[in-house]
Amino acid sequence: MSTMERPLLVKLRRFAIVGLMNSAIDFAAFTVLVYLGLAPLFSNLLAWAVAVIVSFAVNSRWTFVRSHKFHLGKAFAKFAFSGSIISLGSSTIAVWLLPPLIGVFPAKIVGIAIGAALNFFAARWSIEDRLA
């Protein structure tokens, strides 16, 4: 089977594996930055930036089949833009609103989980240039 014929379930499984790794990177970077004294919202932004670079590198080589129109800079811009709306948006809202209710670290986990659930199609759009 060629990589162009990679089944959707294989892509979903690989995306989940990368997502778990990426979530661990995001959470670890966030934790270190908060413990170093940076504000949670700023720590969230920096941790997300590290995680999105790793996520794009792995997903664009292993999870998805690159579109014939794939251009590294454009694909990364689409990936980072959609990720900023989905992942960064959900984790920022969670880190901003939920700490008084559940604490800053559980809030970060909630934000990561919500973003991960939405990111598959955004990543597929940016790398494979399709949504369906």
Side-chain angles (χ1 to χ4, degrees):
M1 173 182 309
S2 78
T3 56
M4 292 303 291
E5 299 171 9
R6 187 176 300 141
L8 181 60
L9 287 177
V10 170
K11 292 177 188 178
L12 285 167
R13 185 172 46 245
R14 288 181 177 193
F15 187 78
I17 291 167
V18 174
L20 288 172
M21 175 194 70
N22 193 54
S23 295
I25 290 168
D26 186 358
F27 189 76
F30 176 77
T31 301
V32 168
L33 293 168
V34 168
Y35 278 119
L36 289 175
L38 276 70
L41 288 175
F42 186 62
S43 297
N44 185 60
L45 174 65
L46 293 178
W48 172 82
V50 170
V52 79
I53 291 167
V54 173
S55 181
F56 177 78
V58 178
N59 277 314
S60 68
R61 288 176 177 80
W62 186 60
T63 304
F64 297 102
V65 178
R66 291 181 176 186
S67 162
H68 68 282
K69 298 185 273 183
F70 182 86
H71 178 274
L72 182 64
K74 288 179 184 177
F76 181 75
K78 286 168 60 174
F79 188 86
F81 177 74
S82 63
S84 69
I85 292 169
I86 296 167
S87 296
L88 183 59
S90 65
S91 65
T92 299
I93 290 169
V95 168
W96 179 43
L97 295 177
L98 296 178
L101 301 172
I102 61 175
V104 71
F105 297 109
K108 176 66 175 172
I109 292 170
V110 168
I112 288 172
I114 292 169
L118 301 173
N119 256 332
F120 177 80
F121 293 104
R124 191 170 185 195
W125 165 69
S126 63
I127 296 166
E128 293 185 333
D129 199 35
R130 66 181 190 183
L131 290 173

